[in-house]
């Protein structure tokens, strides 16, 4: 699928795969294999990034050590990896925005049956936070939506204030809307 047009030293350093090669290879792999994660179904890589040297140039200008390549924060629902649609974000943010359709079952994300009513929970800092019991699925989801959007804004502010995310990523997170289909 991709064209590896750079020397072996770019791929490995001290016997380990370099972050740039790992990111490029992972991106190509996610787009070329059948995935169990819905977010990667039908995804593709722009023609420019099929050549490793082009991806490396963008990577070198944008990479933040330890952060993860993301294709759908700047453009929600995006399926194309490209310089215009991708960014690097901390894992803490990236996992919050991963669709978990296969894990959810019949209820919207953050909503769970509770007798004849519905509970809402959101993960904050890796821990489940109970949001209450509601009469309808829609009310429980609304509470989840509000809590998750607020948490995303807190994380966006935290990382932006530290100079760790760029303004376009900050703005995308501040304006991110959780949908019942997420």
């Amino acid at each position: 699928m991709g064209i590896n047009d750079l020397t072996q030293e770019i791929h490995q350093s001290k016997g380990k795969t370099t972050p740039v090669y790992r990111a490029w290879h992972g991106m190509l792999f996610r787009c070329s294999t059948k995935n169990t994660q819905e977010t990667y179904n039908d995804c593709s890589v722009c023609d420019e990034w099929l050549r490793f040297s082009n991806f490396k140039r963008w990577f070198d200008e944008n990479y933040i050590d330890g952060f993860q390549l993301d294709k759908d924060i700047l453009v929600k629902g995006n399926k194309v990896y490209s310089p215009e649609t991708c960014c690097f974000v901390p894992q803490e943010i990236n996992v919050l925005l991963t669709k978990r359709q296969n894990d959810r079952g019949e209820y919207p994300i953050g909503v769970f049956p509770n007798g004849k009513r519905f509970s809402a929970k959101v993960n904050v800092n890796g821990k489940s936070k109970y949001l209450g019991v509601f009469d309808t699925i829609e009310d429980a989801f609304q509470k989840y939506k509000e809590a998750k959007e607020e948490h995303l804004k807190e994380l966006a502010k935290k990382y932006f204030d530290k100079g760790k995310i760029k303004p376009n990523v900050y703005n995308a997170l501040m304006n991110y809307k959780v949908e019942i289909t997420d």
Side-chain angles (χ1 to χ4, degrees):
M1 178 180 198
I3 300 168
N4 188 344
D5 59 342
L6 295 176
T7 64
Q8 183 66 25
E9 293 80 38
I10 300 299
H11 312 158
Q12 297 231 339
S13 176
K14 299 178 184 173
K16 292 187 176 185
T17 305
T18 60
V20 62
Y21 188 76
R22 194 168 37 254
W24 184 69
H25 183 269
M27 171 185 68
L28 294 175
F29 179 80
R30 288 187 295 276
C31 293
S32 64
T33 60
K34 177 130 176 79
N35 286 284
T36 56
Q37 289 185 337
E38 182 180 320
T39 190
Y40 299 122
N41 287 341
D42 302 319
C43 71
S44 63
V45 178
C46 71
D47 289 342
E48 177 185 352
W49 278 7
L50 291 176
R51 185 171 293 278
F52 182 49
S53 59
N54 292 334
F55 177 79
K56 184 183 182 309
R57 189 172 19 264
W58 178 88
F59 181 97
D60 289 346
E61 293 172 4
N62 293 279
Y63 182 65
I64 300 167
D65 189 40
F67 281 25
Q68 298 176 335
L69 179 66
D70 184 272
K71 67 172 173 35
D72 51 11
I73 287 177
L74 297 179
V75 180
K76 189 171 181 182
N78 175 57
K79 295 287 190 177
V80 181
Y81 285 90
S82 74
E84 298 78 29
T85 59
C86 286
C87 60
F88 285 99
V89 294
Q91 181 180 8
E92 180 179 24
I93 291 174
N94 209 18
V95 298
L96 283 177
L97 301 176
T98 301
K99 272 188 120 168
R100 302 215 184 273
Q101 184 67 36
N102 295 343
D103 299 338
R104 178 166 48 245
E106 64 182 282
Y107 299 99
I109 190 166
V111 176
F112 306 91
N114 187 337
K116 293 184 178 185
R117 300 176 75 199
F118 303 92
S119 294
K121 298 178 189 174
V122 68
N123 285 327
V124 176
N125 301 322
K127 295 180 181 172
S128 183
K129 179 180 177 183
Y130 181 73
L131 301 171
V133 178
F134 304 87
D135 291 330
T136 68
I137 291 172
E138 294 78 14
D139 289 345
F141 176 75
Q142 184 60 36
K143 188 65 172 179
Y144 167 82
K145 172 183 170 60
E146 291 167 5
K148 185 157 184 176
E149 288 174 358
E150 184 60 34
H151 184 51
L152 282 171
K153 288 176 183 175
E154 290 168 2
L155 290 174
K157 183 167 176 23
K158 173 180 127 179
Y159 283 100
F160 186 72
D161 289 350
K162 291 180 180 179
K164 294 287 188 177
I165 59 173
K166 295 184 176 193
N168 62 338
V169 177
Y170 173 79
N171 289 332
L173 292 169
M174 293 301 285
N175 293 304
Y176 193 90
K177 299 295 179 205
V178 175
E179 306 292 335
I180 202 159
T181 55
D182 284 350

